[in-house]
């Protein structure tokens, strides 16, 4: 093999390695972009499955079994300062048995002089209880549009899953707090023309 052939061979091998490195970098970047798009739905799924961060669960019906273990559920209501609403639960606490369905009504009133739209987010505490707190019906994440002075009653139907009994970390939990916070919706309702009440 001549010296020229050796140089050409080394140059070809070097170019092959650079091409492979570039291809691997391209695959890595594409993978990271894909993970960025998947992160939010995957995180949401993780929270719903595990109850992480106080995320509650959803159910179609209450369980057929109730336990003798009592549980108190407290209700908390908060609003963002710029929404202009009052927001409160009709009752502050209910006492149930584990597995027994309960219902509470939250009341919102628009105290501003313009139509506004709000969206509620929620969580429960203690945070670990989120995996066992199931909602059958809820106004969560549904935009609520209210005219000036208008009020609305929004029911929440829920139960605490009897599977909580198998979680020894929650043996000492006798009270769960369900908390909602209303924020202005991203798309506000525009004011209706004077004398036109058909929007509401």
């Amino acid at each position: 093999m001549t010296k020229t052939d050796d140089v050409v061979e080394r140059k070809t091998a070097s170019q092959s390695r650079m091409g492979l490195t570039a291809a691997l970098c391209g695959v890595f970047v594409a993978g990271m972009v894909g993970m960025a798009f998947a992160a939010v739905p995957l995180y949401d799924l993780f929270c719903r499955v595990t109850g992480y961060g106080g995320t509650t669960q959803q159910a179609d019906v209450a369980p057929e079994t109730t336990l003798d273990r009592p549980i108190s559920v407290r209700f908390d209501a908060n609003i963002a300062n710029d929404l202009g609403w009052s927001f409160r639960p009709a009752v502050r606490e209910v006492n149930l048995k584990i597995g027994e369905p309960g219902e509470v009504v939250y009341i919102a009133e628009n105290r501003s002089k313009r139509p506004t739209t709000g969206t509620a987010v929620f969580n429960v505490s203690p945070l670990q209880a989120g995996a066992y707190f199931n909602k059958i019906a809820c106004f969560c994440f549904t935009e609520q549009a209210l005219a000036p002075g208008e009020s609305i009653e929004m029911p929440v139907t829920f139960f605490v899953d009897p599977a909580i009994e198998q979680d020894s970390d929650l043996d000492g939990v006798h009270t769960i707090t369900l908390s909602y916070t209303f924020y202005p919706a991203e798309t506000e309702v525009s004011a209706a023309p004077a004398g036109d009440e058909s929007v509401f």
Side-chain angles (χ1 to χ4, degrees):
M1 177 181 290
T2 66
K3 188 173 183 181
T4 306
D5 291 339
D6 187 43
V7 169
V8 169
E9 189 175 317
R10 275 189 278 165
K11 190 173 180 181
T12 304
S14 176
Q15 287 173 341
S16 294
R17 281 195 300 274
M18 287 175 34
L20 179 61
T21 302
L24 288 174
C25 286
V27 169
F28 178 75
V29 168
M32 292 303 289
V33 169
M35 288 299 290
F37 280 107
V40 172
L42 287 175
Y43 180 75
D44 183 56
L45 177 63
F46 171 76
C47 290
R48 290 184 186 279
V49 169
T50 64
Y52 180 76
T55 303
T56 62
Q57 309 301 304
Q58 277 189 295
D60 295 325
V61 294
E64 296 179 2
T65 308
T66 58
L67 306 179
D68 287 334
R69 177 179 167 183
I71 192 85
S72 296
V73 181
R74 293 182 182 159
F75 306 100
D76 179 50
N78 306 282
I79 51 169
N81 290 335
D82 51 349
L83 187 57
W85 288 12
S86 68
F87 178 51
R88 63 183 173 80
V91 296
R92 291 286 175 187
E93 183 174 336
V94 296
N95 297 303
L96 304 167
K97 292 183 177 179
I98 299 287
E100 179 184 357
E103 182 173 285
V104 68
V105 171
Y106 277 81
I107 303 165
E109 180 184 0
N110 182 359
R111 293 189 172 176
S112 73
K113 295 181 179 179
R114 61 185 178 86
T116 52
T117 304
T119 304
V121 297
F122 61 89
N123 73 341
V124 298
S125 60
L127 299 180
Q128 307 95 299
Y132 305 101
F133 195 94
N134 288 261
K135 288 188 286 186
I136 299 170
C138 175
F139 54 89
C140 330
F141 301 120
T142 303
E143 290 188 355
Q144 304 291 337
L146 296 178
E150 183 182 11
S151 63
I152 186 172
E153 293 187 355
M154 299 170 289
V156 180
T157 308
F158 61 92
F159 65 90
V160 179
D161 193 329
I164 196 172
E165 191 74 6
Q166 309 305 317
D167 191 335
S168 58
D169 291 338
L170 296 174
D171 283 348
V173 171
H174 304 291
T175 302
I176 296 175
T177 301
L178 174 62
S179 180
Y180 285 93
T181 302
F182 255 107
Y183 293 94
E186 291 181 13
T187 2
E188 282 285 352
V189 174
S190 57
D196 181 3
E197 299 179 2
S198 61
V199 174
F200 303 100

